[in-house]
Amino acid sequence: MLINVKEYFKPTSVQEAFELFNEDRSHSVLLAGGTTVALMKSSTIERIIDLENLGLNSIAENEDSVVAGAMVTIEDFRKNPIVQKHFGNFFFDAFSLVGSWQLRNMATIGGSIAPRLGWSDVTTCLIATGARLIVYDEQGYKNISIDEFNHTPKEKKPLITNIIFPGDGYHYSFKKFSKSTFDIAIINVAVGVKLNDDIIEDTRVVVGSRPQFPTRFSAVEEGIKGLKLDATTASIARNLTFENFEGGSNLKASVEYRQHLASMFVERALLEIREMVL
Amino acid sequence: MKLELTINGRVHSVEIDPGEMLLDVLRRLGYKSVRRSCNSASCGNCTVLMDGKPILSCTTFAARAMGHNIETVESLSEDGKLHDIQESLLETGGAQCGFCIPGFVLTTKALLEENPEPTEKEIREALNGNLCRCTGYESQIKAVLNITRKRGGHVNE
C-alpha cells in the first residue's frame, strides 16, 4: 500500500492525464500496469493518475510498421497476431521470459520503458527492434527515440502514448540470465540482424541490466557488418563484446561475470538466428 | 474513496484508501482464500482472476479493479463440491499444506480456458509464477495433465 496517496484519478484523455500530472509532478505518479508503482513503497506519492481509460491498449498495423498503445500488456503484446506476423516468434519467446504470467498480464509495454529501469527485458528487446516512442507533453505529440526519452530530465518527462516498431525485416534473438524468469536479469541481450543472403547487412546488438540501462554495442555491430553469418562471425562478435564491454558490478554480479555472460549470449544469439534463418 | 467491486459476480460497495491494494480489500471483505505471502509480486499466492486473466492482487491497486470482474477461488466450489481442478490437485498430492493452492487453482483455470489441452511445457510456463514450498511441482503439473484426460481431451505429454 502507498500510504500517503490521497487522490486517484482516472482521466479519459491523454491531455487531461498530462495536465493532472503536471499540476504537481513531485507528488504524482502515472500508473500504467502498476507493478513498479505498487512496489515502490513511496511515501512522497500523493496522487495517482491511472492511464487505463486513455484508449491506449490496442495494436495497429501500418504499411511498414506496427504501432502499439503504451497500455498494451506484455502478455497481450506477445500473443498479438499482428506482432507475430511482423516479428515471428521473437516477442512470443522473449517475453515468455519476462516475469510470470500474472505479472505479464499487469505490466504494460509503455510502463516498462517509462521508469527507465536498467534491468528491463522489454526495453532491451525494444531497442533491438529500433522501436521509437510517441510521447505527449506541453508541445503536443512528438516522435522520439528511447535514448532521447532517457535523456529527458525528470521534471520534463513526457507521457508515452504509443510505441512504433519498424517492420524492416530483421531477425532477432533474446537471451536472459537470471535465477528464475521473474527475477531481475543479471544480464539480458537482444540481437537483431538484417541479412542479404547470408551476409550481415546491418545489426543491432543490445545489452541490458549491465546493471545500467540497456545500450547498443556499436563496436560489435560495426565489427560484424559485411561478414557472413556463421560460427566464425559469431565468435568474432563474442570477442568484440568482451573487449568492448561496458558495465558495472552490483549485488547481483560483478562486472567481470557480466562481461563473460554478455559475450557468450551475443555469440549464442547470432548462432540461434543463423539456425532459424539459414 | 468509495468503490464498487464485482467479486465472483457479486457487487460490493466498499470504502477504500486510494493507495490500497486489491489484496487488502479482498481479505477485508472476507475472501480469505486470497493469500498474503511475499507481498512483492513474486510468489503468486495472492493470484485472482481479473476479467479471466490471472493477476497479482498484492500489486494491483484496488481502485484499478473497478469496472472489472474479479474472481477468487470461492467461486469455484458449488454446494460444497470441489471443482475438478481442486479434485485433481488433491488426487496427485499437489495440495500438501494447501497454502498456495488457491493461486494454483486460479492460474490453472485461466490456462485451461485459454488452452484446454496444454503441453507440459505450456503448463510449466503458465504456472511458473506460483510458488509452492512443499512439493517439487511435479504433482501440480500431473494434476493439470490429468484434468485434460478427465475432461476427455487429448493429453499432450
Side-chain angles (χ1 to χ4, degrees):
Chain A
M1 164 157 161
L2 291 178
I3 44 171
N4 286 326
V5 177
K6 295 174 181 70
E7 291 170 294
Y8 192 101
F9 300 98
K10 278 200 171 184
T12 50
S13 77
V14 172
Q15 193 187 351
E16 188 190 346
F18 185 75
E19 278 164 11
L20 277 167
F21 181 52
N22 246 8
E23 274 171 21
D24 183 8
R25 277 196 179 222
S26 51
H27 297 108
S28 306
V29 67
L30 297 171
L31 190 77
T35 50
T36 313
V37 178
L39 294 171
M40 278 200 287
K41 311 275 181 227
S42 162
S43 57
T44 57
I45 296 171
E46 293 175 5
R47 309 162 79 236
I48 290 178
I49 298 140
D50 188 332
L51 308 178
E52 189 187 14
N53 296 337
L54 302 187
L56 298 176
N57 50 5
S58 59
I59 296 175
E61 187 181 20
N62 288 342
E63 217 170 275
D64 55 354
S65 61
V66 175
V67 182
M71 289 294 286
V72 173
T73 65
I74 295 173
E75 187 69 8
D76 284 349
F77 186 82
R78 75 183 266 262
K79 287 183 176 161
N80 185 278
I82 296 173
V83 173
Q84 293 190 352
K85 183 182 145 194
H86 281 262
F87 294 98
N89 278 334
F90 171 59
F91 281 116
F92 186 81
D93 292 342
F95 287 1
S96 74
L97 304 174
V98 176
S100 57
W101 189 17
Q102 288 95 325
L103 277 169
R104 294 195 299 268
N105 279 330
M106 300 157 74
T108 63
I109 304 283
S112 302
I113 311 166
R116 313 194 241 209
L117 303 164
W119 43 262
S120 166
D121 303 322
V122 174
T123 312
T124 299
C125 291
L126 294 196
I127 296 174
T129 58
R132 291 179 66 86
L133 311 175
I134 303 285
V135 297
Y136 183 89
D137 65 8
E138 281 110 335
Q139 279 95 47
Y141 289 97
K142 270 192 297 192
N143 178 323
I144 63 170
S145 68
I146 294 177
D147 194 51
E148 229 174 307
F149 179 82
N150 286 331
H151 289 96
T152 313
K154 203 174 168 221
E155 54 290 357
K156 294 250 181 252
K157 229 167 98 168
L159 192 160
I160 303 172
T161 62
N162 291 93
I163 297 110
I164 306 183
F165 299 84
D168 48 8
Y170 279 61
H171 301 282
Y172 298 98
S173 170
F174 175 72
K175 301 280 164 203
K176 168 179 178 173
F177 189 78
S178 60
K179 281 182 272 182
S180 69
T181 64
F182 47 90
D183 195 10
I184 290 169
I186 290 168
I187 200 98
N188 55 36
V189 169
V191 175
V193 175
K194 188 170 194 174
L195 289 171
N196 186 354
D197 281 334
D198 58 350
I199 302 297
I200 300 173
E201 200 177 293
D202 198 17
T203 175
R204 298 193 198 101
V205 177
V206 185
V207 183
S209 205
R210 306 172 291 125
Q212 296 92 336
F213 201 81
T215 191
R216 286 175 65 171
F217 277 26
S218 51
V220 187
E221 296 175 356
E222 292 305 320
I224 59 170
K225 224 180 258 182
L227 300 181
K228 206 172 146 184
L229 179 56
D230 58 14
T232 319
T233 304
S235 92
I236 292 174
R238 183 189 68 209
N239 290 333
L240 283 170
T241 310
F242 191 86
E243 284 156 22
N244 297 286
F245 186 80
E246 281 171 39
S249 304
N250 66 358
L251 200 66
K252 288 206 168 278
S254 66
V255 61
E256 292 83 4
Y257 191 56
R258 287 195 161 96
Q259 184 179 27
H260 275 278
L261 287 174
S263 319
M264 287 310 301
F265 283 155
V266 169
E267 180 180 32
R268 283 183 199 173
L270 284 167
L271 290 174
E272 190 180 272
I273 294 171
R274 178 171 173 265
E275 188 84 359
M276 233 157 43
V277 186
L278 299 175
Chain B
M1 66 191 276
K2 197 106 178 143
L3 190 71
E4 283 215 336
L5 274 182
T6 312
I7 306 160
N8 301 336
R10 195 178 142 201
V11 181
H12 294 261
S13 190
V14 55
E15 190 66 39
I16 65 151
D17 200 303
E20 209 170 4
M21 296 301 154
L22 182 58
L23 171 63
D24 300 282
V25 178
L26 287 172
R27 290 189 63 88
R28 198 161 69 231
L29 288 171
Y31 296 95
K32 296 285 170 69
S33 74
V34 191
R35 312 284 201 225
R36 182 194 309 281
S37 179
C38 76
N39 225 21
S40 61
S42 305
C43 73
N45 279 332
C46 66
T47 300
V48 297
L49 302 183
M50 191 189 267
D51 301 332
K53 293 176 179 178
I55 57 147
L56 301 168
S57 59
C58 75
T59 353
T60 297
F61 284 94
R64 168 60 71 85
M66 197 160 59
H68 297 281
N69 290 315
I70 305 296
E71 210 177 317
T72 70
V73 101
E74 279 92 347
S75 72
L76 292 186
S77 40
E78 276 171 35
D79 311 322
K81 245 189 111 212
L82 291 178
H83 190 273
D84 64 350
I85 297 172
Q86 294 168 311
E87 282 285 355
S88 198
L89 278 164
L90 280 178
E91 282 165 13
T92 57
Q96 294 191 21
C97 86
F99 193 75
C100 67
I101 292 308
F104 265 102
V105 170
L106 288 169
T107 314
T108 303
K109 179 171 185 272
L111 168 70
L112 294 174
E113 268 161 27
E114 190 181 292
N115 179 1
E117 294 176 2
T119 61
E120 188 179 322
K121 182 172 174 272
E122 287 164 336
I123 297 170
R124 285 183 190 277
E125 190 184 293
L127 293 181
N128 89 342
N130 289 84
L131 300 191
C132 166
R133 299 291 84 158
C134 296
T135 68
Y137 297 102
E138 294 307 317
S139 45
Q140 284 95 341
I141 308 292
K142 211 187 280 170
V144 182
L145 285 168
N146 280 353
I147 295 164
T148 309
R149 194 175 291 125
K150 271 195 205 166
R151 289 181 181 178
H154 173 74
V155 183
N156 289 305
E157 264 170 295

